[in-house]
Amino acid sequence: MVAAQKQKIADFLDITTDFLGSGYKSEKTNYQFEDDPVPPSQGGADSLEQIAREIRVCRNCSLCEKRLNAAPGEGAAQPLVMVIGEGPGEDEDKQGRPFVGKAGQLLDKMLDAIGLSRSTNCYIANVVKCRPPGNRDPFPEETSACAGFLSRQITLVKPKFILIVGRIAAQAVLQTSESTGKLRAKFLELENNGIKIPVVVTYHPAAVLRNDEYRRPVWEDLKLLKSGIDK
Ligand code: URA
């Protein structure tokens, strides 16, 4: 069934419901169906909502085939810090939100320790928005298929700083093959859409959960980020 036919049925159901309820109302709702093509924002300004709509129906790589829900990103629209992780896991796939599982809970604590939170001054996103099956690392073709969404999110939220967690995200965003050990403990720079943004790389919270030895370096990286923020 094509989108126009589905919209007609949705309109009919709306009208019927309104007749049965409080009377006919003429405004109609434009529904977005999972398999509808989403037109790119037509000449108008881009928005986080538009990007999220495109991500939810995206079929640019095979990760779309097994996703329950894409997790586009969430947080403050004008954040001090944008946090970039690897990709949704099982919990994120179920909820359609980034970093909501065990690693996400630790990430929230890490951010809280330096006065940051997704509800006030952070925006959180991943390099891939759909869960790689079995939590495998995303393939390079999957991170590049998703790169345009991340770049548009960065352009829109204009973070003062970016915190990248984990090797996969760091390598994809910074276009490098260096290890986290080599990239961390210093300020780097990302140029996105002509704007330069200071970046700190640290270990992924899931790695910290697996190995206590990462706790100290992660804390040092967070303090480094905080020193930049407080300057
Ligand atoms: N790990 C990530 O990198 N991102 C998430 O959203 C969850 C776990």
XYZ file of all heavy atoms in Angstrom, residues 10 12-13 17 24 26 32 67 73 78 83 91 99-100 113 122 126 128 135 157-159 161 172 175 186 204 224 230:
232
model
N -5.812 6.539 7.490
C -5.570 7.194 8.785
C -6.518 8.384 8.965
O -7.105 8.566 10.027
C -4.110 7.641 8.871
N -9.454 8.746 7.579
C -10.806 8.207 7.773
C -10.990 7.778 9.229
O -11.993 8.082 9.860
C -11.015 7.018 6.824
C -12.293 6.280 7.108
C -13.518 6.820 6.727
C -12.286 5.074 7.779
C -14.705 6.144 7.004
C -13.467 4.397 8.059
C -14.684 4.938 7.672
N -9.971 7.082 9.776
C -10.065 6.626 11.164
C -10.127 7.814 12.124
O -10.869 7.800 13.093
C -8.882 5.717 11.508
C -8.925 4.355 10.813
C -7.632 3.603 11.054
C -10.127 3.534 11.268
N -13.263 8.478 14.540
C -13.050 8.591 15.989
C -13.619 9.899 16.510
O -14.248 9.956 17.554
C -11.538 8.541 16.306
O -11.000 7.432 15.618
C -11.271 8.389 17.790
N -16.953 16.248 14.909
C -15.992 16.310 13.807
C -15.017 17.480 13.966
O -15.414 18.583 14.277
C -16.760 16.442 12.487
C -15.844 16.560 11.303
C -15.064 15.489 10.906
C -15.737 17.759 10.615
C -14.207 15.590 9.841
C -14.878 17.865 9.541
C -14.119 16.789 9.154
O -13.264 16.898 8.107
N -11.768 19.372 11.840
C -11.284 19.323 10.474
C -9.767 19.202 10.340
O -9.274 18.855 9.280
C -11.765 20.566 9.731
O -11.306 21.698 10.419
N 3.546 9.496 9.902
C 4.769 8.984 9.275
C 4.765 7.470 9.454
O 4.720 6.984 10.576
C 6.006 9.579 9.971
C 7.315 9.095 9.379
C 7.467 9.597 7.954
O 7.363 10.790 7.693
N 7.690 8.673 7.032
N 16.819 -3.956 13.119
C 16.559 -3.033 14.233
C 15.109 -3.160 14.708
O 14.198 -3.396 13.894
C 16.833 -1.589 13.814
C 15.762 -1.019 12.923
C 15.917 0.443 12.563
N 15.036 0.762 11.459
C 15.365 1.471 10.390
N 16.569 1.999 10.265
N 14.494 1.693 9.426
N 19.320 9.934 18.897
C 20.113 10.790 19.787
C 19.161 11.543 20.684
O 17.963 11.611 20.403
N 21.076 22.772 22.700
C 22.253 23.660 22.591
C 23.242 23.246 23.682
O 23.427 23.980 24.655
C 21.845 25.121 22.803
C 20.804 25.645 21.827
C 21.388 25.895 20.449
O 22.269 26.716 20.303
N 20.927 25.162 19.454
N 28.242 14.043 23.424
C 28.906 12.762 23.666
C 28.618 11.852 22.474
O 27.461 11.747 22.041
C 28.362 12.098 24.957
C 29.066 10.770 25.201
C 28.525 13.019 26.149
N 19.383 -2.741 24.902
C 18.433 -1.860 25.603
C 18.068 -0.651 24.748
O 16.916 -0.214 24.714
C 19.032 -1.372 26.932
C 19.271 -2.526 27.885
O 18.292 -3.173 28.272
O 20.443 -2.797 28.218
N 22.351 5.052 24.930
C 22.981 4.888 26.254
C 21.952 4.801 27.397
O 21.960 5.620 28.315
C 23.971 6.033 26.513
C 25.304 5.824 25.840
C 25.614 6.488 24.666
C 26.247 4.946 26.375
C 26.843 6.295 24.032
C 27.473 4.745 25.751
C 27.768 5.418 24.586
N 21.082 3.808 27.326
C 20.121 3.618 28.416
C 20.354 2.304 29.176
O 19.690 2.045 30.165
C 18.650 3.671 27.919
C 18.254 5.078 27.551
C 18.420 2.705 26.764
N 29.654 13.550 37.361
C 30.838 13.870 38.174
C 31.496 15.179 37.746
O 32.220 15.796 38.524
C 31.845 12.722 38.085
N 24.045 18.309 27.846
C 24.716 17.354 26.952
C 23.763 16.846 25.893
O 22.573 16.691 26.164
C 25.152 16.105 27.720
S 26.658 16.304 28.596
N 25.263 8.455 18.681
C 26.196 7.384 18.315
C 26.612 7.518 16.861
O 25.897 8.148 16.073
C 25.502 6.026 18.489
C 25.388 5.614 19.946
O 26.380 5.517 20.644
N 24.165 5.375 20.393
N 26.651 4.976 14.742
C 25.558 4.309 14.006
C 24.305 4.341 14.868
O 24.374 4.240 16.089
C 25.886 2.856 13.552
C 26.975 2.840 12.516
C 26.198 1.938 14.712
N 25.612 -7.111 18.973
C 26.531 -6.074 19.486
C 27.927 -6.142 18.869
O 28.901 -5.735 19.496
C 26.661 -6.130 21.019
C 25.371 -5.772 21.691
O 24.442 -5.297 21.041
N 25.305 -6.002 22.988
N 23.499 21.116 16.747
C 23.545 21.373 18.194
C 24.729 22.260 18.584
O 24.771 22.786 19.684
C 23.510 20.058 19.041
C 22.282 19.245 18.725
C 24.770 19.250 18.936
N 25.693 22.405 17.660
C 26.845 23.302 17.869
C 27.465 23.125 19.252
O 27.537 24.085 20.044
C 26.423 24.775 17.731
C 25.872 25.167 16.396
C 25.668 26.686 16.388
C 24.842 27.171 15.233
N 23.423 26.737 15.267
N 27.946 21.922 19.588
C 28.514 21.730 20.932
C 29.809 22.523 21.096
O 30.552 22.713 20.129
C 28.796 20.225 20.981
C 29.031 19.842 19.551
C 28.130 20.725 18.735
N 32.142 21.421 23.107
C 33.123 20.339 23.191
C 32.463 19.039 22.747
O 31.248 18.887 22.865
C 33.610 20.136 24.640
C 34.371 21.299 25.180
C 33.705 22.363 25.776
C 35.762 21.348 25.075
C 34.400 23.455 26.263
C 36.465 22.438 25.565
C 35.790 23.502 26.166
N 36.024 6.367 13.812
C 35.071 6.760 12.761
C 34.958 8.284 12.661
O 34.992 8.849 11.568
C 33.701 6.155 13.050
N 38.458 9.842 11.751
C 39.059 9.270 10.534
C 40.521 8.902 10.764
O 41.420 9.403 10.090
C 38.926 10.259 9.365
C 37.484 10.478 8.946
C 36.918 9.259 8.211
O 37.295 8.979 7.091
N 36.032 8.512 8.878
N 44.382 14.181 25.810
C 44.743 15.469 25.190
C 43.538 16.021 24.441
O 42.597 15.264 24.135
C 45.925 15.291 24.232
C 45.659 14.283 23.134
C 46.933 13.968 22.363
C 46.724 12.748 21.476
N 47.903 11.998 21.177
N 35.450 3.599 26.443
C 33.996 3.408 26.461
C 33.572 2.927 27.852
O 34.247 2.107 28.465
C 33.631 2.360 25.401
C 32.168 2.330 25.078
N 31.227 1.808 25.936
C 31.490 2.793 23.989
C 30.027 1.932 25.378
N 30.157 2.522 24.205
N 40.202 16.557 32.384
C 40.756 17.363 31.289
C 39.632 18.114 30.559
O 39.733 19.327 30.306
C 41.498 16.441 30.307
C 42.030 17.100 29.050
C 43.199 18.024 29.387
C 42.470 16.045 28.030
N 35.902 24.912 31.941
C 35.996 25.974 32.943
C 36.910 27.123 32.542
O 36.984 28.126 33.246
C 36.490 25.382 34.278
C 35.407 24.538 34.937
O 34.236 24.666 34.541
O 35.724 23.738 35.831
